[in-house]
Amino acid sequence: MSARQDFGTLLVDRREDRVVVELHRPEARNAINARMIAELHEVCAEIEADPRPLLLTGHGSVFAGGADIAELRERGREEAMAGINSRLFERLHRLPAPTVAAVDGWALGGGAELSYACDIRLATPTAVFAQPEPGLGIIAGAGACWRLRELVGASVAKQVLLGGFRLDAEAALRHGLVAEIVPAGELRASAHALLDRMAASSAPALRMTKLVLDADGAHPLADDMAQAVLFESADKHDRMTRFLERKKR
């Protein structure tokens, strides 16, 4: 276990087969500010250089209480065009290894969008996903307007984004936004168990699967190309050999 102390908004635990990141601004309900954005970019760079699955969670009984409103209030057109939050979330979404968000309590605004950028979400019974941005005079501009639609469908996305509805844990599970609801005391253990299952799979195969799943309109060519790379790998050959040998017994 290795935690960096020079991050001001994150606690980072680097392990051989995964990276665990805890959003850590307890004085502000883990609200996402510019420093957290910069530090999450650093984490993304590390994972891009050394691909490992990522577990993202929040400190205490809240995932992230949105973006830092004091900072948002001072942002203008140029900052909006720079996509400060959206560029990070897209980078997170495109990491070369699977990502899991473990959500306890509130995931509001940018906090919800941060979780949407992950591949899989687990939630506690108290988890709540909401997009209050229109009440603040802005849109949910860091991915919710299109990513949430992909995750739960247009009707539910409009209820959340236009109607101000909140998705509690049961609704999030019903609409497929989260994979599982687990007690708060078991959240991290359940997330690590999921990562353990991933670690048992071929890392190159998971990476190619994620690329193909996220490809835009490139099927079936993208499937064929990814499979062509994997079919030539020693890892694939060894895994299938072990499978066949077990089957013979």
Side-chain angles (χ1 to χ4, degrees):
M1 185 179 297
S2 173
R4 277 258 306 262
Q5 300 301 318
D6 52 341
F7 280 141
T9 69
L10 307 175
L11 297 179
V12 180
D13 174 9
R14 297 169 183 80
R15 306 185 186 185
E16 184 177 349
D17 63 347
R18 69 199 60 179
V19 177
V20 182
V21 173
E22 179 182 302
L23 309 179
H24 192 264
R25 294 189 68 213
E27 76 286 355
R29 296 197 303 174
N30 303 328
I32 301 168
N33 64 356
R35 183 171 183 180
M36 184 181 288
I37 292 289
E39 292 176 352
L40 285 170
H41 271 298
E42 289 190 46
V43 173
C44 286
E46 291 182 24
I47 295 174
E48 288 161 353
D50 180 13
R52 283 164 290 168
L54 169 67
L55 169 57
L56 186 63
T57 190
H59 177 75
S61 58
V62 61
F63 181 71
D68 191 296
I69 302 302
E71 289 189 0
L72 278 183
R73 185 182 59 181
E74 303 307 315
R75 292 180 186 173
R77 178 177 56 197
E78 294 303 317
E79 287 80 8
M81 292 300 293
I84 294 170
N85 289 14
S86 64
R87 298 298 185 272
L88 169 69
F89 297 171
E90 184 62 14
R91 186 178 189 180
L92 172 68
H93 179 71
R94 295 190 179 279
L95 285 176
T99 56
V100 175
V103 180
D104 185 20
W106 292 104
L108 297 178
E113 291 175 303
L114 179 62
S115 76
Y116 304 157
C118 292
D119 295 313
I120 300 174
R121 284 152 296 281
L122 303 181
T124 68
T126 62
V128 179
F129 301 84
Q131 303 294 159
E133 287 90 345
L136 296 168
I138 58 175
I139 69 167
C145 287
W146 55 275
R147 193 168 275 137
L148 185 60
R149 176 175 178 159
E150 292 179 352
L151 292 169
V152 301
S155 178
V156 175
K158 287 182 177 181
Q159 291 169 40
V160 173
L161 291 162
L162 301 179
F165 285 82
R166 299 170 176 174
L167 295 178
D168 61 17
E170 290 294 338
L173 180 66
R174 186 167 64 250
H175 294 299
L177 182 61
V178 303
E180 190 177 9
I181 300 173
V182 297
E186 301 173 16
L187 179 61
R188 296 202 186 193
S190 296
H192 280 294
L194 173 57
L195 292 176
D196 290 340
R197 294 200 297 273
M198 292 177 178
S201 295
S202 161
L206 287 179
R207 182 172 185 173
M208 288 297 186
T209 299
K210 182 172 176 176
L211 283 171
V212 170
L213 275 168
D214 290 338
D216 296 324
H219 309 292
L221 179 60
D223 308 57
D224 295 342
M225 293 178 66
Q227 199 71 298
V229 172
L230 291 169
F231 273 9
E232 295 294 324
S233 70
D235 182 68
K236 166 254 187 182
H237 184 272
D238 292 343
R239 285 172 179 275
M240 291 190 176
T241 298
R242 290 197 298 270
F243 174 84
L244 292 171
E245 289 175 349
R246 287 197 302 272
K247 200 172 181 181
K248 289 177 183 177
R249 294 172 190 166

